[in-house]
Amino acid sequence: MKMVINGKLIDKNDKINILNPANNQIVDTVPSGNLEDIKQAIESANQAKAVINDMSSRKVSRILYNIYEDVLKNSNKLAQLITLETGKPIKNSVDEINRSVETILLSAEESKRIYGETVPLDACIGGRTALGFTIKVPLGVISAITPFNYPINLAIHKIAPAIAAKNCVVLKPSIKAPLAALELVQIMAIHLPPGVINAVTGHSSVIGDEMVSSPLVNKVSFTGSVKTGISISRKASMKKITLELGGNDPLVVIDDADINKAVKAAVSGAFINAGQVCIAIKRIILHEAIANEFIDKLVSETIKLKMGDPSDSKTDVGPLIDEDAAKKVEMLVEDSLDNGAELLLGGKRRDAFYTPTIIDHVKSNMKIVSEETFGPIAPIIRVSSVDEAFEVANNTEYGLQAGVFTGSIETALKAANVIDAGSVIINRQPTFRTDNMPFGGFKNSGMGKEGIKYAVDDMTKTKLIVFG
């Protein structure tokens, strides 16, 4: 696979091997881009600003509609690439592509809804005869940096709104899973003027700083770790930034909840994509009155999950992104058991595969729940009251998304007010996300919002026009 710079496919002699985590075989190679490559991509984007800015909103929308149709035609190929490079079960990869093409469609529609407003200047001294209004203008060049777990959808959530707002983009996909993203950019580049969309692969230590600190870049949109996000915020200076830094998402189940519904949500939410999802359930907080019933049903339902070949449409749980990631999960599970937790199911690793695991009697200070565990783990924390449940839910440096199951409207409203997270999902799947909703967390989960309308707004700046 090749990089895309200024509308051209660029290869390099220095390559990075992309491995299939299910069997550790090489899927393909990508160029190992260097500092000159990223500078060229940013300069190309900077030069293309005037071209896309001169387009009508109608034309930009039409281009995005055409990209939507083209990506839709290539959806099977893209889904297969996602599965090959990430180990994501193919049925989940298909879901990701379906969401992604809808996100492009939403962006095509939103590109024609970028409004300014009139300003009542006559409300102030000296403004009686003045006419004021605002317009939204593009920022210019957007640096988009994405992780491995949703290689197409997370890229689309940065690229499509940027183009809808008439910006140019330089994408750096994860070197653990760049193939589907590169294929996507190659499809998009066919429809766009050279330089509007670029993609450079390479090591962050080589090209990352330039993407963040270049004076030609106007905004950095990053999804990844807290450590890297904090570093970006320091290096970005006066640029706009959006940071989606993951979560330690709780599922709270109160004693008046629909247990069967909550269990179903827990199984799906904890083990989707082998737990490698920022909004996956990382902690299950159970009222002690229903804990034993819930746990028995959780174990029974989890046993039904099929782990194995991600290309098999019947597979529910595939491998983690690599063996090191699985070893880290293994270490965290062992640490929790050494500190008094009880293993109810799973706890076994084979290469990059880690079995769906349920652990009871977990305490909030254990690493498996105090850190963000990116793996198929369901740690259970028992509590004795609603207040304690919400206190435990908030006992984390993260605040991305939370789920609550309760039969009480009063408890639900309290959860909505008390839980310190960007989204509180009540009585439905806690990993619920539609691509038009405002998405982003509080605390160390980041800053800013994704979701088409909200991303478009943050990828523009407001200009005031006054007639005297």
Side-chain angles (χ1 to χ4, degrees), residues 172-323:
K172 181 198 172 301
S174 167
I175 58 171
K176 292 184 178 182
L179 301 177
L182 288 178
E183 182 73 18
L184 169 73
V185 170
Q186 289 179 21
I187 292 169
M188 299 183 81
I190 295 170
H191 300 273
L192 291 161
V196 171
I197 178 69
N198 307 269
V200 179
T201 49
H203 296 282
S204 297
S205 58
V206 176
I207 65 176
D209 279 0
E210 186 67 19
M211 292 191 72
V212 174
S213 61
S214 170
L216 300 181
V217 171
N218 305 103
K219 175 182 169 70
V220 180
S221 183
F222 169 78
T223 301
S225 71
V226 172
K227 181 180 178 181
T228 304
I230 291 172
S231 175
I232 286 172
S233 69
R234 290 171 177 163
K235 294 174 182 177
S237 186
M238 295 290 287
K239 299 175 178 64
K240 276 191 172 185
I241 55 174
T242 296
L243 303 175
E244 202 281 272
L245 307 181
N248 193 6
D249 309 289
L251 169 63
V252 178
V253 185
I254 307 302
D255 57 351
D256 58 3
D258 182 329
I259 303 300
N260 292 330
K261 188 176 180 182
V263 166
K264 183 178 179 181
V267 173
S268 176
F271 304 123
I272 183 174
N273 196 24
Q276 299 171 115
V277 183
C278 58
I279 54 175
I281 295 169
K282 312 296 196 307
R283 299 171 292 150
I284 301 177
I285 302 167
L286 300 179
H287 193 287
E288 60 187 7
I290 50 87
N292 291 337
E293 179 187 357
F294 183 98
I295 290 167
D296 287 345
K297 292 180 177 180
L298 179 65
V299 171
S300 296
E301 290 301 313
T302 303
I303 290 172
K304 298 176 184 177
L305 296 177
K306 179 181 178 181
M307 186 176 76
D309 180 3
S311 65
D312 184 342
S313 62
K314 295 180 181 179
T315 294
D316 301 300
V317 181
L320 278 75
I321 188 63
D322 54 34
E323 189 171 358

Side-chain angles (χ1 to χ4, degrees), residues 18-27 80-90 93 148 176-177 273-274 276 306-312 315 317-326 349-354:
I18 309 305
L19 304 178
N20 181 339
N23 55 27
N24 216 36
Q25 294 181 358
I26 296 175
V27 180
Q80 289 167 6
L81 276 175
I82 291 172
T83 292
L84 284 172
E85 65 182 342
T86 69
K88 179 179 292 188
I90 186 64
S93 296
F148 69 85
K176 292 184 178 182
N273 196 24
Q276 299 171 115
K306 179 181 178 181
M307 186 176 76
D309 180 3
S311 65
D312 184 342
T315 294
V317 181
L320 278 75
I321 188 63
D322 54 34
E323 189 171 358
D324 286 343
R349 182 183 66 82
R350 177 178 58 80
D351 302 325
F353 287 86
Y354 198 87

Side-chain angles (χ1 to χ4, degrees), residues 64-131:
L64 285 168
Y65 276 117
N66 291 339
I67 290 172
Y68 158 79
E69 296 287 351
D70 214 353
V71 173
L72 187 61
K73 290 176 185 176
N74 288 274
S75 58
N76 288 338
K77 180 180 181 181
L78 290 167
Q80 289 167 6
L81 276 175
I82 291 172
T83 292
L84 284 172
E85 65 182 342
T86 69
K88 179 179 292 188
I90 186 64
K91 61 185 178 183
N92 298 136
S93 296
V94 170
D95 288 343
E96 178 177 347
I97 294 300
N98 289 339
R99 283 184 53 201
S100 298
V101 293
E102 183 176 69
T103 303
I104 299 171
L105 186 62
L106 290 168
S107 298
E109 295 166 351
E110 194 64 33
S111 66
K112 296 184 286 188
R113 294 196 291 258
I114 302 175
Y115 301 113
E117 62 181 4
T118 57
V119 183
L121 301 178
D122 63 337
C124 295
I125 296 172
R128 189 175 68 83
T129 60
L131 170 66

Side-chain angles (χ1 to χ4, degrees), residues 413-442:
L413 290 172
K414 185 172 185 177
N417 288 320
V418 169
I419 295 179
D420 194 14
S423 302
V424 179
I425 312 299
I426 298 169
N427 288 339
R428 70 172 302 141
Q429 176 60 47
T431 55
F432 175 79
R433 182 184 180 185
T434 61
D435 294 287
N436 63 340
M437 69 188 245
F439 181 79
F442 301 157

Side-chain angles (χ1 to χ4, degrees), residues 431-456:
T431 55
F432 175 79
R433 182 184 180 185
T434 61
D435 294 287
N436 63 340
M437 69 188 245
F439 181 79
F442 301 157
K443 300 189 281 188
N444 275 354
S445 283
M447 58 190 299
K449 295 289 184 183
E450 292 191 333
I452 307 308
K453 172 188 173 183
Y454 307 93
V456 165

